[in-house]
Amino acid sequence: MTKKSTPAAFKADTVLTHTGRKPREFHGFVNPPVVHASTILFPDTATMETGGQPYVYGRRGTPTTEALENALTEIEGAAGTKLANSGLNAIALACLSCLKSGDHVLIADTSYGPTRHFADTVLPKYNIAVEYYDPALAGDVKTLFKTNTAAVFTEAPGSLTFEMQDIPAIAAAARSIGATVLMDNTWASPRYCKPLELGVDLSIQAGTKYVVGHSDVMLGAISASEKAWPALDALHGAMGVHVAPDDVYLALRGLRTLSVRLERHMKNTLAVIDWLKTREEVAAIRYPALETDPGHALWKRDFSGASGLFAFDFKAGTSTTQSNAFFDNLALFGLGYSWGGFESLAIPVKLKGNRSATTYDANLKSARLHIGLEDPQDIIQDLAQALDRAFSG
């Protein structure tokens, strides 16, 4: 932002456009420089011994990485932000920054599959006990607290099935015992949800998705509250995490159009969902922005928008052959595990092995769709022909 302005004076879209940029410091260039660096020189031994200059070694930060960190810190309303090599790397770093041997952590049962894998395979090696909880517990998550509960990991909406959580209620319960609250906020991005304002200590996102927005960079970010920042900052430095400058630059570039892209993603998604409601092959749609969704009230209270990711269940009796035929006949939709880019993507939802604290129908056939920036009528036509071919017999 300019020296004459303050962040509080501007709306979110203006902040997205201007934050993380200091043209006057870089000869008037609009965008910060892409600094490729390892060695950074000191003018004298006194400066070297005291660390008395902004940058000391490429791994510890450059004007490029600082620009993105500062931008996300401002957008999130955080004490500080650290970058990671991927969304999963950000999740792992955030967890390790607030957990130690002997601790107990609660994780939402709807969390991203790789989060569960990390929690199940890495944390126990450090004598950290992992327990999954029903995301519908809200403040009653306190009934699962133990004397060694150190953190509660949330994700809203949940992966694949899109359940919402009452984040403020969970955060209030966690604060009562001094536990750290983490939230995976990738679905909404900090444009549509501000986790730290809801009581979260560590706001995590896979910048790979909507921040970058073009399916060409792996990036994660963790924005911390005053309470959580010192430990995150220390761990990040100790682990030697550093994101390549070209990737950071692409994330900064994507950040400038985040708002307009999200608006289009949401608009297209609502148009597609309105059409899907008319199809007899579709039994239910999972998207908290819908008034009929069980989590709509929480979404409306805590979020200012919705992204392009949702799921729908096929009608009862749908066979695996029919479900697979639907995906295989899609033309505009790519079959890929990521999302958040400009293109539409689809995957079959497989819940088996992804739940332990809540019940689910392992035989349910569902589809997760990411609605891209294509014309919505073309997207609808593609879905129509795929459904027609899959269920024609």
Side-chain angles (χ1 to χ4, degrees):
M1 310 299 285
T2 64
K3 291 190 293 184
K4 297 179 181 179
S5 63
T6 58
F10 297 106
K11 303 295 184 183
D13 290 352
T14 304
V15 173
L16 279 172
T17 304
H18 289 273
T19 187
R21 297 195 295 112
K22 298 178 180 179
R24 293 179 183 176
E25 294 185 10
F26 300 111
H27 310 288
F29 290 107
V30 169
N31 292 305
V34 182
V35 177
H36 294 80
S38 56
T39 303
I40 298 171
L41 302 179
F42 297 83
D44 48 53
T45 54
T47 306
M48 176 176 277
E49 289 171 357
T50 61
Q53 64 183 39
Y55 308 104
V56 296
Y57 188 62
R59 171 169 46 78
R60 299 307 296 262
T62 68
T64 311
T65 56
E66 186 180 63
L68 182 56
E69 288 173 345
N70 288 348
L72 292 173
T73 294
E74 184 172 333
I75 294 164
E76 295 261 18
T81 296
K82 285 298 180 183
L83 305 180
N85 302 110
S86 67
L88 180 58
N89 185 217
I91 288 166
L93 287 167
C95 289
L96 293 174
S97 75
C98 63
L99 293 169
K100 65 182 186 305
S101 179
D103 282 346
H104 170 250
V105 58
L106 288 164
I107 300 177
D109 204 31
T110 51
S111 291
Y112 176 53
T115 299
R116 296 181 72 104
H117 181 72
F118 164 76
D120 292 341
T121 61
V122 176
L123 294 183
K125 293 180 180 179
Y126 297 93
N127 192 32
I128 296 168
V130 176
E131 182 177 357
Y132 294 97
Y133 69 91
D134 184 341
L137 281 177
D140 287 338
V141 71
K142 63 186 178 184
T143 61
L144 302 178
F145 289 169
K146 303 179 185 299
T147 56
N148 60 337
T149 300
V152 182
F153 189 102
T154 69
E155 180 179 331
S159 291
L160 302 180
T161 47
F162 297 89
E163 294 98 327
M164 290 297 296
Q165 294 191 71
D166 191 336
I167 302 299
I170 293 170
R175 277 198 304 273
S176 72
I177 61 166
T180 300
V181 183
L182 304 88
M183 179 176 169
D184 185 336
N185 188 41
T186 302
W187 182 83
S189 85
R191 176 62 184 88
Y192 283 161
C193 179
K194 307 284 190 183
L196 273 66
E197 293 181 2
L198 303 178
V200 170
D201 296 298
L202 291 165
S203 174
I204 306 160
Q205 61 175 314
T208 306
K209 308 300 194 288
Y210 285 118
V211 170
V212 170
H214 291 77
S215 301
D216 53 4
V217 169
M218 301 293 293
L219 187 100
I222 316 124
S223 296
S225 66
E226 292 283 352
K227 166 191 170 182
W229 172 245
L232 175 65
D233 186 31
L235 178 78
H236 189 273
M239 296 292 288
V241 179
H242 179 73
V243 181
D246 294 303
D247 290 345
V248 175
Y249 174 79
L250 288 172
L252 276 164
R253 189 173 188 176
L255 196 67
R256 308 307 174 195
T257 61
L258 174 63
S259 190
V260 292
R261 286 186 287 107
L262 280 173
E263 287 175 8
R264 180 64 178 269
H265 283 298
M266 183 176 177
K267 180 181 177 181
N268 283 3
T269 300
L270 289 171
V272 169
I273 287 175
D274 282 345
W275 175 81
L276 280 173
K277 292 176 183 177
T278 70
R279 297 291 301 209
E280 64 177 13
E281 302 92 343
V282 176
I285 297 172
R286 304 172 185 271
Y287 190 61
L290 296 179
E291 291 186 1
T292 55
D293 190 274
H296 180 72
L298 291 174
W299 171 83
K300 190 173 183 179
R301 184 192 70 186
D302 296 339
F303 290 64
S304 59
S307 68
L309 193 72
F310 73 100
F312 72 83
D313 301 335
F314 290 103
K315 66 182 180 180
T318 295
S319 67
T320 300
T321 299
Q322 289 172 313
S323 173
N324 288 347
F326 165 75
F327 292 104
D328 291 341
N329 278 292
L330 290 168
L332 288 180
F333 285 77
L335 300 182
Y337 287 110
S338 192
W339 46 274
F342 54 84
E343 79 283 25
S344 291
L345 295 171
I347 62 167
V349 172
K350 295 181 180 179
L351 293 177
K352 188 175 182 180
N354 285 348
R355 296 292 186 92
S356 56
T358 52
T359 58
Y360 62 91
D361 181 357
N363 296 314
L364 185 67
K365 300 294 187 296
S366 302
R368 190 188 76 179
L369 303 182
H370 177 255
I371 304 303
L373 303 180
E374 304 93 341
D375 188 286
Q377 290 307 308
D378 290 334
I379 296 173
I380 288 169
Q381 288 178 16
D382 190 33
L383 291 169
Q385 63 83 23
L387 286 170
D388 289 342
R389 291 184 180 184
F391 290 86
S392 61

